[in-house]
Amino acid sequence: MTTRTAAPTRREQILKHAARLFAERGFHGVGVDEIGAAVGISGPGLYRHFPGKDAMLAELLVGISERLLEGGRQRSADASGQGPAAVLASLIEGHIDFALDDRPLITLHDRELDRLREDDRRRVRQLQRQYVELWVGVVRQLYGLVPEAEARAAVHAVFGLLNSTPHFSSPRGALPDRAGTAELLRGLAHGAFAALGARPAPTAPSGASDGSGVSGASGASGVHPVDTIDMIDTVGETGPGPGTAL
């Protein structure tokens, strides 16, 4: 039996073309009429679906953050019976699909996030924090001796790697061999996490005081070097960094 995929709704078509145009030419470089022409309707006809470009941008960036989190949770639940290695592998596969299929949204997030209203930006940050922490929890299950801050730093680094796909395009804008690119990203992501797991556990320097309650490579201060990097807020007040979830 052949399974049919439901045709995209007009609203979904508008968002798809808006994302592409915004990514190519910038939010202010695209008019409502141009988005309408790409979809095949008049510019004013768009207002039956969205009150304006700002609403399109918000739905694109909040929407993809919601889908990443929901998809990650579903993948985690589906693979949970097979152990943390299988869960991490499934999360990596899901993010690779996103990074290959939704490249305009990565570009849009990097360039236009600050144009969202504050409540929408706050929502994006909240969703991305939850998505990051989902990964961090799995990584720490798999590599139990890894400090939480290092696990979080590794997750951000892998996001930066996977989200580099907008820079992979050929002159015509197509990815060079999607399957090969997915295989490359998969190997790099797994390699990054394996390197994290292969690091020796931190040990306390000779004579270091344990009065802080934290021993190890942190030294007498009780603060691990990676703890000084604030990576919990995946999207800072000044905009996204290279390791954000999008």
Side-chain angles (χ1 to χ4, degrees):
M1 178 182 296
T2 301
T3 302
R4 294 183 178 180
T5 303
T9 65
R10 180 53 58 91
R11 188 180 183 89
E12 290 168 341
Q13 291 174 344
I14 292 170
L15 289 172
K16 178 180 179 180
H17 287 286
R20 175 180 59 81
L21 290 169
F22 291 159
E24 289 175 355
R25 294 157 54 187
F27 181 74
H28 286 308
V30 179
V32 171
D33 289 342
E34 294 167 285
I35 299 172
V39 182
I41 61 177
S42 67
L46 288 178
Y47 292 110
R48 292 197 295 269
H49 302 277
F50 295 95
K53 291 195 307 176
D54 289 338
M56 296 180 206
L57 182 63
E59 184 155 336
L60 284 166
L61 294 182
V62 175
I64 189 56
S65 298
E66 290 175 340
R67 292 196 297 278
L68 280 172
L69 178 58
E70 291 168 3
R73 285 173 171 168
Q74 186 61 56
R75 283 178 171 273
S76 296
D78 291 344
S80 61
Q82 304 171 54
V87 174
L88 183 60
S90 185
L91 288 174
I92 290 172
E93 290 302 310
H95 202 97
I96 287 174
D97 285 343
F98 155 70
L100 294 179
D101 297 336
D102 290 300
R103 290 183 297 153
L105 291 177
I106 297 174
T107 301
L108 191 60
H109 177 276
D110 287 345
R111 294 179 181 172
E112 311 291 355
L113 181 67
D114 285 344
R115 301 194 187 280
L116 294 182
R117 297 180 307 173
E118 179 55 34
D119 57 340
D120 288 327
R121 287 200 304 273
R122 189 178 298 113
R123 176 63 175 158
V124 169
R125 293 188 187 105
Q126 179 187 54
L127 292 165
Q128 289 191 0
R129 287 191 196 100
Q130 293 178 57
Y131 185 61
V132 168
E133 294 311 308
L134 176 66
W135 282 64
V136 170
V138 175
V139 169
R140 297 200 73 206
Q141 287 179 39
L142 187 58
Y143 305 112
L145 295 178
V146 174
E148 181 178 344
E150 288 192 20
R152 187 174 294 108
V155 168
H156 279 277
V158 169
F159 285 164
L161 185 157
L162 297 180
N163 293 346
S164 65
T165 51
H167 304 290
F168 290 3
S169 60
S170 70
R172 293 187 176 183
L175 282 170
D177 182 9
R178 186 188 191 285
T181 303
E183 183 177 359
L184 173 64
L185 293 173
R186 184 180 303 114
L188 290 171
H190 282 285
F193 285 126
L196 174 70
R199 292 184 61 189
T203 57
S206 177
S209 170
D210 193 33
S212 65
V214 180
S215 61
S218 54
S221 67
V223 179
H224 194 277
V226 181
D227 288 334
T228 63
I229 305 174
D230 180 13
M231 303 192 76
I232 298 178
D233 189 352
T234 63
V235 185
E237 293 298 330
T238 58
T244 58
L246 289 185

